[in-house]
Amino acid sequence: RVMEMLLSTKGITICLFFFVLSLAAAIEIPLSVSQLPTITEQSHTQVAYPFDEDFTIKCEARGNPQPTFNWTKDGKPFDLSSDPRIVPSNNSGTFVIQNRGIINNFQGRYRCFASNALGTAMSEEIELIVPSVPKFPKEKIEPLDVEHGDSVILHCNPPKGIPPLHIYWMNIDLQHIPQDERVSMSLKGDLYFANVEESDSRSDYCCFAAFPRLRTIVQKMPMTLKVSRSNFLKERKPKLLIPPESAGSSSSVTVIKGGVLLLECIAEGLPTPHLSWVKVTGNMPKDEPETENFGKTLKIDQVTAADEGTYQCTASNPMGRARHEFHVHVEEPPQWLKKPEGGVYSVGTNLVLLCEAIGNPEPSIQWKLNGMPIDGRTFRGRISTREISLTNLQLQDSAVFQCEATNKHGTILASANVNVLNIAPLILTPDGENYATVVGYSAFLHCDIFASPAADVRWTKDESIEPLSAFRYELNKNGTLEIRDTKKEDSGSYACWAANSVGKGAITANLDIRDATKLVVTPKNPRVLKSHSILLKCQAEYDSHLKHSFKLSWRKDGDELRVNSTEGGRIILDRDTLFISSVLLEDQGVYTCVASTALDAAEAEAQLIVLDVPDPPEDLQLSENQNRSVRLSWKAGASHNSPVNESIIEFEENRWEPGRWQELSRVPGNDSTALLPLAPYVNYQFRVVSVNAVGRSQPSKPSLRYATPPAAPDKNPDNIRVEASEPNEMVMKWEPLKPVERNGPGLEYKVSWRQRGVETDWNEELVKKHSLRVQNVPTFVPYEIKVQAVNNLGSGPEPNVTVGYSGEDVPDAAPSGVSVEVVNSTLVKVFWLGIPRDRVRGHLRGYKVSWWKTKSMLDGKRHHPEKHFLTFVGDRNYGMIPGLEPFSEFRLTVLAFNSRGDGPESSPVVFETPEGVPEQPRFLRILNFDKDSVTLSWGLPKKANGHLTGYILQYQI
C-alpha cells in the first residue's frame, strides 16, 4: 500500500511517501527450494596426449533434488561402467579415463545430461580427440634426374597429427635448405624449384614434420636430386604450379571471420618468376596485407567482412605472365543475438522465450525440452523458429528449455531454466542482525527474500507499525532498506515484513550510529626550503567504540607511503606524524593522512611546496647585433615556487682575462631579454643567473661568442697624482684603463706636464705603463699634468688638468722664539715661531718638541740625557709637555718636519720644574708593642720630589 501525505509549510509543499515494495523472487534460487538442474562446469574440446596419465571429462551441476547424470557419445547413450578404465565421480557427472592400453575407441563427441524430478539440463558437446603417433611410411624414393632449368617438386606428404604442424627441409647434417624466390616451400610442405641449377644436386633432401603439442618430430626418408647440364637454355614464361593449371584461372576460398586468410601462388619458369598481388574487387585493407614466402603467400590476420572479394596473383618474368584469381568468401559460425532467459515464475503467469542467432551460412535453430527435441504436436504451448510461449503456467510446466544454433562452422547452445514455484516468502537474511554506521553515512539493512508469487515488503522502526516514511529512506529492489545521511536518532530496532498470497515472514535488525572520524593535518600547506626539514602531524578524532579497528596511513600524490621504503631514514613515518629531512624537490606534492575504521574512512591533506633557487636559464640567443650593443634573449628555468625577481647578466672575454666572469647588467625577473651595452674590441660570451627569494641559480650555459670591432678610447685614466721619493724629481701616476676600456690594440698613455704659473710649452711623452718619472725639476714646485689614452685607432677625449707638486726636501730652517711657561711641577707649555713657507720645501706636516733632563735640583747630580719628544701635527706655534719630573732641570728644542723628513732643531732652551708632592713611604712596620705603646718604623719615599719637611702619622681606634 502506498500512503501519501501533503504538508504545506510557509508555501513549501513537502511530500512524505510511505512505501511497501513488491519483490519478485530472487534470481538466485536458494538451494533449499526445489529447482531445476543447472550445468555449472563442463569440459570443452580435449586432446588425449599419449604422455598424460589420464584424461578428465568434467560435468558439474546443481539442483534440488540433487541431479543424476547421464552421458551420450556421438549421439548415443554412453555407459560409464562399460570400460574399467573409466572412473566416475560421486554426486557428479565428471569421469576420468585412465591412459592404459589402446584408447582410440574413446575418441568422439560427448554430451552430459543432469536430471532431477523437475527436468533435465544438457551440456554443450565435448570433443575428445585421441591422436595417433604420426609416422612417415617406410618407402623407397627413386632419385630424380633432371636437366638444368627444369622445374621440380619434392613432395613431403606429412602424416596427420594435432596442429600446429611445422615442416622443415634440411640436409642430413640438419642444415636448413636455403630458400628464396627460386626455391621455396608450399603451405602443404612440398619443396618447389621454379628452375633447378647444377648446385641443387644432392642426395640428402630430408623433410621433417614437427608436432609440438605431441612433442614429436618425424623425418621422411632422404631424397636424391641429380641435375645435369642442358644442351640449350630452357627459357620459358611462368606457369603456375599452385594452384595448378587444372584448377582453371580462378578458384573459391572460404575463410572464417576473425581467422587468418592465406592465399598461395607458386610458379615455375626461367628466369625465376616474380609474384605480385592485387585485389580485383573492393579495396585492399587499410593495413597493407603482408606477404610471406618471398611474395608467394598473401596473409590477412583477423579477417573481416571487408576482406571478402577477388584477389589476383601474377607470376611474371621477361618471357611472359601467368595469373590466377581467388574468390574469397568470409563466413562465420553462429553467434547469439538473443538467448533464451529463464527465471522463476508463479502459477498462472505467462512465458515467452526468444532465441535468435546470426552466422554465415545462416544457422538453423532447434528447440529442446529437458534435452529432447520438442514435438510440436504434443507441446501445449506455441513454438516457432525463434520463439516459444506458454500461457497460464502450472507447477508441472517447470523444465529446462534448450536452444541450439548450428551451421557448418559450429554449434552454440543456450539453456533457460523455467522454474514454476508457489512458495511463501523465504527471508534469507538471518534474524537479529546487528548493523552499525557513522553519522552522515548511509546504512543498509538487508532483507534478502525469495518468494513466488512476489512478496510485498515493508520496514518499521521500534514499536511503530507504520512503514518508514520517505526523504532519507529508500527500499531497494532486493528488500534492503537504505537510510541516507544517517543521524544519531536513527539508532534503534527495525523490522522487515514480507507477505504474498501463500504466506508471510519477518526479521528484526538493530542499528547503531557512531560518531564520524575527523582528521586535520598541520601545517596545512607548508612551504619549505630544499634540504630543510618538515614535520606533518595528523590529528584524529574517532568514536571510542571503533578504537580497535582504527588505522592511520599516509599517501603522497595518491600512492601509499610504506614504512619500510623511506629512503634510508630520510622519511620517517610514526603513526600520526610524517617527518622528512633534507627535503628534495621531488618531495613536493599532496600528502594525505588516511584514517579508517570498521565503519568509515576520512582523509585530510596538506600541499607541501618545496622552495629552491631557480633552475638555470636556457637557450641563450643573440640578436640585433650592433658595434656597441647586442640583444640577449633566454628562456627562464623553473622557479621552484619562488618567483624570479631579478636576472643577472654576466660576461667573459678571452683576450685580457679569459675565464673571469664579470657582471654586466641586471633586469627584472619577469624579463627574458635585454639590450646589452658593449665595449669595442672585446670577444664576449654571456651567461644569465636567475635570482629569487631563496637565492641565485647556477649560471646558464654560455652563449655563442660575439666580438665587437675596435675603436678609439672612450675615456682617459682616473686618479692622476704625483708621487716623489727624491727632491728634484716628479713621478706622475694614474689608474690604468681596464681591459674592456682599451677599445682597441696598441694602448698607450700620452702624458703632458708644465710648471704652473710659468708661460711655457707642454712637455709630452708616450708611455705604455701607468707612471712616468721626470728628473731635474725644482724642489716642490706645482705642475699642471694631463694624461690621455691613445690606441691604434685614435685618441681618447681631451683630458682634464690635474695639479701636482715636484719632489720635496727636508725643511732648511729651525723655529725661532722658543719659550717655556711652567704650568706645574709636571706640565709646561712651549711656544715657538713657525718657519717661513719657502723654508718648508714641501708640505708642512707639523712640529716636533724634544726635551731631556739635565740634573736634579734636590741633590744637584747630573743625569745622562734621555731624550723625549712629542709631535704636533699641522701649522701651529705651541704645545703642552706633560709627565715631567718635579724639582728638575730640563733642556728643550723644536723642529719642523714635512713628508720628506725633519728640519734642523732650534737652540736648546733651559727650564726648571718646581717641587712636587713626595711619593708614599716605601713601607710601614710595627717593631714592638705593649699594653700602652707601640713602636713603628717606615721607609723613605722612592722620590721625594723636593726637600722633605716631615711625616704625618695617622691612627684610629
Side-chain angles (χ1 to χ4, degrees):
R1 60 198 171 96
V2 177
M3 296 178 62
E4 186 175 279
M5 180 185 295
L6 298 179
L7 302 176
S8 180
T9 305
K10 295 182 180 179
I12 301 175
T13 302
I14 303 174
C15 298
L16 298 181
F17 294 96
F18 302 93
F19 35 54
V20 176
L21 189 65
S22 293
L23 292 185
I27 296 174
E28 187 75 25
I29 305 174
L31 279 176
S32 58
V33 177
S34 296
Q35 58 185 282
L36 291 160
T38 301
I39 302 293
T40 57
E41 187 179 5
Q42 72 158 90
S43 297
H44 297 281
T45 301
Q46 188 159 335
V47 178
Y49 294 110
F51 40 79
D52 290 336
E53 293 184 1
D54 51 46
F55 323 107
T56 301
I57 310 296
K58 285 187 178 181
C59 180
E60 303 291 340
R62 70 168 186 270
N64 189 2
Q66 177 70 33
T68 58
F69 295 88
N70 295 293
W71 286 88
T72 61
K73 176 176 178 284
D74 298 329
K76 298 177 182 179
F78 180 69
D79 185 2
L80 297 185
S81 62
S82 62
D83 193 302
R85 291 173 294 180
I86 299 176
V87 181
S89 302
N90 295 328
N91 300 320
S92 168
T94 300
F95 64 91
V96 176
I97 302 173
Q98 295 176 337
N99 190 2
R100 299 200 312 265
I102 300 173
I103 60 171
N104 289 347
N105 58 311
F106 288 115
Q107 179 163 309
R109 296 180 176 271
Y110 294 80
R111 198 187 288 269
C112 172
F113 296 84
S115 304
N116 64 13
L118 300 179
T120 299
M122 179 178 71
S123 74
E124 298 177 5
E125 278 194 335
I126 304 168
E127 183 179 11
L128 177 63
I129 300 171
V130 182
S132 58
V133 177
K135 294 180 181 179
F136 277 107
K138 290 186 178 180
E139 57 183 332
K140 183 179 180 182
I141 304 174
E142 296 295 330
L144 282 174
D145 292 314
V146 294
E147 289 185 347
H148 183 100
D150 290 344
S151 68
V152 171
I153 304 173
L154 299 182
H155 295 284
C156 180
N157 298 326
K160 292 182 179 180
I162 298 294
L165 166 64
H166 302 298
I167 297 177
Y168 308 95
W169 282 90
M170 294 187 281
N171 60 24
I172 202 68
D173 296 323
L174 301 182
Q175 299 294 317
H176 286 274
I177 302 297
Q179 297 188 29
D180 50 25
E181 272 197 328
R182 186 179 66 85
V183 181
S184 60
M185 184 179 71
S186 69
L187 294 174
K188 289 172 57 179
D190 297 334
L191 192 62
Y192 284 76
F193 294 79
N195 52 79
V196 292
E197 299 174 353
E198 292 181 50
S199 59
D200 295 325
S201 295
R202 61 187 316 131
S203 60
D204 57 354
Y205 283 95
C206 299
C207 179
F208 290 84
F211 300 88
R213 292 176 68 185
L214 294 174
R215 305 177 191 174
T216 299
I217 298 177
V218 292
Q219 176 190 343
K220 189 181 180 76
M221 295 295 290
M223 288 174 259
T224 299
L225 176 63
K226 297 179 181 178
V227 181
S228 57
R229 183 174 298 176
S230 175
N231 293 328
F232 59 93
L233 190 62
K234 297 184 176 181
E235 288 188 334
R236 59 193 181 279
K237 70 176 185 178
K239 173 186 175 183
L240 288 175
L241 302 177
I242 298 180
E245 286 190 340
S246 58
S249 61
S250 66
S251 57
S252 293
V253 176
T254 299
V255 62
I256 302 297
K257 182 180 178 181
V260 179
L261 172 65
L262 293 171
L263 302 178
E264 183 179 39
C265 279
I266 297 180
E268 62 95 358
L270 188 67
T272 301
H274 173 73
L275 270 294
S276 61
W277 295 86
V278 295
K279 190 175 183 184
V280 178
T281 60
N283 298 321
M284 270 287 196
K286 289 183 180 179
D287 295 329
E288 190 69 23
E290 61 178 301
T291 58
E292 297 179 343
N293 197 20
F294 311 102
K296 299 174 184 181
T297 304
L298 180 73
K299 180 180 180 181
I300 300 178
D301 292 312
Q302 295 293 320
V303 170
T304 66
D307 296 317
E308 199 167 73
T310 300
Y311 295 79
Q312 184 185 78
C313 74
T314 302
S316 58
N317 69 7
M319 309 303 295
R321 290 183 176 84
R323 292 187 176 90
H324 187 87
E325 289 185 348
F326 298 90
H327 304 294
V328 175
H329 305 282
V330 179
E331 298 185 351
E332 58 180 316
Q335 293 185 20
W336 291 119
L337 287 179
K338 289 184 181 177
K339 292 197 291 186
E341 296 181 0
V344 176
Y345 298 84
S346 55
V347 172
T349 58
N350 300 327
L351 166 71
V352 176
L353 297 178
L354 300 176
C355 183
E356 291 184 31
I358 59 170
N360 188 6
E362 183 178 353
S364 61
I365 303 292
Q366 182 183 25
W367 287 95
K368 292 183 179 181
L369 179 64
N370 293 324
M372 302 298 292
I374 297 177
D375 186 348
R377 294 170 299 178
T378 59
F379 182 61
R380 79 173 187 86
R382 296 178 59 186
I383 183 170
S384 67
T385 303
R386 292 181 175 83
E387 183 178 311
I388 279 182
S389 62
L390 278 169
T391 58
N392 192 22
L393 288 172
Q394 301 300 311
L395 294 176
Q396 60 269 24
D397 289 322
S398 293
V400 182
F401 289 84
Q402 290 98 8
C403 176
E404 275 188 324
T406 305
N407 68 10
K408 67 180 182 179
H409 299 298
T411 299
I412 53 177
L413 171 69
S415 297
N417 286 16
V418 177
N419 289 276
V420 183
L421 300 175
N422 198 39
I423 62 173
L426 180 62
I427 300 181
L428 306 177
T429 302
D431 188 22
E433 285 281 283
N434 293 312
Y435 299 92
T437 189
V438 297
V439 173
Y441 277 57
S442 292
F444 296 89
L445 309 185
H446 300 299
C447 188
D448 292 336
I449 296 169
F450 182 82
S452 182
D456 291 338
V457 179
R458 63 189 176 92
W459 281 87
T460 61
K461 183 176 185 293
D462 296 331
E463 302 302 323
S464 173
I465 61 173
E466 291 298 324
L468 293 172
S469 61
F471 294 135
R472 294 183 299 109
Y473 299 100
E474 181 174 342
L475 190 57
N476 295 330
K477 289 182 180 180
N478 60 359
T480 296
L481 175 66
E482 179 182 355
I483 308 174
R484 293 189 292 269
D485 192 20
T486 55
K487 299 175 171 50
K488 279 284 190 179
E489 53 266 28
D490 291 325
S491 295
S493 177
Y494 292 78
C496 172
W497 307 83
N500 67 4
S501 59
V502 183
K504 59 185 178 180
I507 60 168
T508 60
N510 299 307
L511 176 62
D512 289 320
I513 306 297
R514 308 296 188 195
D515 290 326
T517 303
K518 298 177 182 178
L519 295 179
V520 175
V521 174
T522 56
K524 177 64 175 171
N525 292 314
R527 298 167 69 88
V528 61
L529 292 176
K530 179 186 172 186
S531 77
H532 286 217
S533 300
I534 181 67
L535 176 68
L536 298 177
K537 187 168 181 61
C538 184
Q539 297 170 319
E541 294 181 12
Y542 53 90
D543 194 291
S544 59
H545 295 87
L546 304 174
K547 64 181 180 180
H548 296 298
S549 65
F550 179 77
K551 294 180 181 178
L552 205 61
S553 62
W554 290 87
R555 294 200 301 255
K556 178 182 181 291
D557 297 330
D559 296 326
E560 185 173 356
L561 289 173
R562 301 192 179 277
V563 177
N564 295 328
S565 59
T566 54
E567 302 181 30
R570 195 179 65 82
I571 301 176
I572 300 174
L573 298 177
D574 185 10
R575 282 184 57 81
D576 60 345
T577 60
L578 170 63
F579 178 74
I580 307 174
S581 62
S582 301
V583 169
L584 305 175
L585 289 175
E586 52 264 33
D587 293 327
Q588 178 167 302
V590 177
Y591 288 82
T592 307
C593 176
V594 182
S596 63
T597 67
L599 297 180
D600 71 338
E603 294 183 359
E605 61 184 37
Q607 173 87 37
L608 175 61
I609 297 174
V610 180
L611 307 177
D612 195 10
V613 299
D615 283 345
E618 300 175 336
D619 193 21
L620 273 62
Q621 301 290 334
L622 299 176
S623 61
E624 301 178 23
N625 301 353
Q626 302 293 329
N627 289 349
R628 293 293 187 104
S629 68
V630 70
R631 181 168 295 279
L632 176 67
S633 304
W634 61 90
K635 291 181 181 177
S639 64
H640 298 307
N641 304 305
S642 178
V644 174
N645 50 42
E646 188 176 43
S647 294
I648 302 172
I649 302 166
E650 298 177 334
F651 76 91
E652 180 264 355
E653 52 80 27
N654 60 1
R655 179 172 286 114
W656 314 109
E657 297 177 284
R660 178 173 175 259
W661 287 93
Q662 304 173 63
E663 183 175 320
L664 179 62
S665 178
R666 295 191 178 214
V667 297
N670 54 1
D671 288 355
S672 60
T673 182
L675 187 63
L676 304 178
L678 305 180
Y681 197 54
V682 178
N683 192 16
Y684 287 96
Q685 65 175 346
F686 306 98
R687 70 183 187 186
V688 184
V689 176
S690 296
V691 183
N692 63 10
V694 181
R696 295 167 62 123
S697 73
Q698 290 292 315
S700 67
K701 293 181 179 178
S703 69
L704 296 175
R705 290 262 177 205
Y706 182 68
T708 54
D714 294 325
K715 63 174 293 186
N716 294 313
D718 296 323
N719 192 20
I720 299 170
R721 61 200 182 277
V722 175
E723 297 177 2
S725 59
E726 298 293 336
N728 309 117
E729 75 172 11
M730 179 171 62
V731 180
M732 293 168 281
K733 293 185 177 181
W734 55 89
E735 294 296 328
L737 294 184
K738 297 177 182 177
V740 294
E741 297 172 340
R742 298 187 175 203
N743 285 14
L747 178 67
E748 293 182 302
Y749 299 100
K750 178 182 176 184
V751 184
S752 304
W753 72 96
R754 68 182 177 185
Q755 190 172 335
R756 188 177 186 183
V758 178
E759 290 297 329
T760 181
D761 293 335
W762 289 90
N763 300 293
E764 292 184 350
E765 189 169 337
L766 276 174
V767 297
K768 292 186 177 180
K769 54 186 180 179
H770 50 280
S771 66
L772 175 62
R773 183 184 301 270
V774 179
Q775 295 180 325
N776 301 320
V777 295
T779 301
F780 199 63
V781 173
Y783 278 84
E784 294 179 336
I785 303 166
K786 298 189 296 184
V787 181
Q788 185 179 34
V790 179
N791 66 17
N792 292 350
L793 283 86
S795 301
E798 182 63 28
N800 296 324
V801 174
T802 301
V803 176
Y805 284 81
S806 58
E808 300 181 43
D809 203 348
V810 297
D812 60 0
S816 59
V818 178
S819 63
V820 176
E821 178 186 322
V822 177
V823 179
N824 57 37
S825 62
T826 61
L827 177 67
V828 298
K829 187 174 184 179
V830 182
F831 297 92
W832 63 86
L833 296 175
I835 66 174
R837 185 166 298 280
D838 60 340
R839 305 297 295 276
V840 175
R841 299 203 295 178
H843 294 287
L844 177 67
R845 301 286 299 280
Y847 292 88
K848 290 182 183 179
V849 178
S850 301
W851 72 94
W852 60 96
K853 182 179 177 181
T854 55
K855 69 177 180 178
S856 171
M857 302 295 292
L858 183 62
D859 55 12
K861 289 182 180 180
R862 291 283 176 181
H863 285 262
H864 180 74
E866 181 183 346
K867 271 197 172 186
H868 305 274
F869 70 89
L870 270 178
T871 300
F872 298 94
V873 178
D875 188 6
R876 57 189 294 174
N877 59 1
Y878 72 91
M880 306 294 287
I881 308 299
L884 300 175
E885 288 189 29
F887 207 45
S888 301
E889 180 186 89
F890 292 88
R891 291 183 181 241
L892 177 146
T893 62
V894 181
L895 63 82
F897 69 94
N898 61 17
S899 300
R900 179 69 178 162
D902 297 341
E905 291 181 304
S906 65
S907 299
V909 175
V910 179
F911 67 93
E912 294 177 356
T913 55
E915 288 187 79
V917 177
E919 292 185 359
Q920 66 187 45
R922 290 178 183 268
F923 61 87
L924 172 65
R925 297 192 185 106
I926 299 175
L927 297 180
N928 189 24
F929 63 90
D930 54 27
K931 63 181 182 178
D932 56 3
S933 66
V934 62
T935 304
L936 301 177
S937 172
W938 56 84
L940 293 172
K942 185 176 181 181
K943 289 183 179 180
N945 292 336
H947 297 288
L948 286 176
T949 58
Y951 295 93
I952 298 174
L953 177 63
Q954 295 175 319
Y955 65 93
Q956 65 180 20
I957 299 176

